Amino acid sequence: MTPLLVVLGVPAGAAIVLAFISQWRLAAWLNVAASAATFAAAATLFVAERPEPGHLLLVDDFNIYLIALTAFVALTTAVFSASYIAHEVRRRRLTPRLLRFYHAMYQAFIGSMLMALSADNLGLMWVAVEGATLSTALMVSLYRTPAAIEAAWKYFILCGVGIALALFGTMLMYLAAQPALGEGMAAVTWSTLMAHAADFDPALLNVAFVFLLVGYGTKVGLAPFHAWLPDAHAEGPTPISAVLSGLLLNVALYAVLRFKMLLAANPQALAPGPLMIGMGLLSLSLAALMLYRRRDIKRLFAYSSIEHMGIAAFAFGMGGPLANFAGLLHMTMHSLVKAAIFFTVGHVSQVKGTQRIADISGLTTSHPALGWSLVAGVVAIAGLPPFGVFTSEFLVVSSTFARQPLLALPVAVGLLVGFGALLLRLHQLAFGPPSPNARVGGRTVPTLSLLPIWLHLALALVAGIYLPAPLVAWFQSVARLLG
């Protein structure tokens, strides 16, 4: 069995098994074990012989690293989830029946994202992204409160409309390829489409890309299609917030970039860059301003995710080896740092018994490990050195300034506005007189559950100081493919 089949098969099998396990402690650690097996198989993709491209699955320079990153964050989130869920059970917010459902849907969600990244077929990728949408919509409503159910419906409806537009765009892409490739699987296979993209009808390509950008852009959380994201983060379990921000947004952006490559290979098609630049700038600017008005700590970092996906979309819209390199690095650093922040925020909300920013203060005094982890995470995501987010944002701004100085100005202003908002909130959360802990169901955070936070932040710190040569070579190779 090839490593890719293990990567896809383990989550599918684990989802079925976990659906029948009522002992939540056993289910939590089986969830960790399945995630560890998936990551081990994903890591071997770097050294194993790559399977030949077929009509369904593909491993190439573009997706191999994202598959490994997705499996890694899924593993660390599963470790965090085991501790987080244990406390939710003690507080009686979740029942064994709901947890059986939660663990099964978690593996289904991870498997769907890995399938989307591995797909060599436009239709299969669409089905996988839709599967990820359905599984996360169910998990967002896990607490069964009115607010959680409302957030899940909002997520389902908005992302359902988006994915429907993406389906229409996929159909148009098939029609554009038909004259050159004929009917059948070849006209929806990535590896074949890329080889013949120059022969496609440019008018249909243009219309298809607009629908695909809006459709998958909704899943990315790009403005003005971002309204589902803050509610889903605020009302769902915190582990789901971590994988939504750290993984699902990357998968949707990956889909957009695959189609962008098709347009770039057709000299008569429109340049997709200006559309992505516009949506990226809008997302960055809107999210940076909205950060000042957030009163919920999870909503705060949800808008931070919108900001950073806007930065990545802007970088890929600019195009070119350096900007694409910066975009790939930014996707990676955002996944690591934002997941670490949500891990920390999950512990904080349980310790304090609230997500309201006004009711949380003095964490570095009352809970030093949590408080300083939050400080490090916010410093990293705000773009301060020596963390890797600083490197990626510096490359975005500098590459833009070298080519389009006027575009560099709104990017720099947006980054500074968002930076100010995050530091303002951090000062209240981390310093000053400590706020009281939860009166009912408070907890002491075990050191083991902090390890995923520290591991993510350590990787982001190392990446800001030194990028290994194989990683740089991968970024450069994919940056050239993206055009």
Side-chain angles (χ1 to χ4, degrees), residues 227-317:
W228 63 271
L229 197 149
D231 289 345
H233 281 65
E235 302 303 334
T238 303
I240 303 311
S241 301
V243 289
L244 273 175
S245 269
L247 300 179
L248 182 61
L249 307 187
N250 277 359
V251 172
L253 184 56
Y254 164 85
V256 173
L257 294 177
R258 280 287 192 188
F259 287 107
K260 177 180 180 288
M261 292 166 64
L262 290 177
L263 263 72
N266 189 303
Q268 295 180 301
L270 65 79
L275 292 174
M276 297 185 69
I277 288 171
M279 292 181 71
L281 280 178
L282 179 61
S283 302
L284 167 61
S285 304
L286 176 66
L289 292 172
M290 294 297 288
L291 287 172
Y292 285 90
R293 298 183 58 83
R294 297 311 95 199
R295 301 293 181 261
D296 182 292
I297 190 169
K298 289 175 71 176
R299 288 181 186 271
L300 175 75
F301 291 111
Y303 273 97
S304 173
S305 294
I306 297 169
E307 175 194 9
H308 285 278
M309 295 315 291
I311 295 169
F314 175 87
F316 290 122

Side-chain angles (χ1 to χ4, degrees), residues 91-107:
R91 293 174 64 192
R92 298 184 177 180
R93 294 190 72 193
L94 293 174
T95 64
R97 182 179 65 85
L98 288 175
L99 286 176
R100 186 173 63 182
F101 175 79
Y102 164 81
H103 287 119
M105 287 299 100
Y106 182 86
Q107 287 296 321

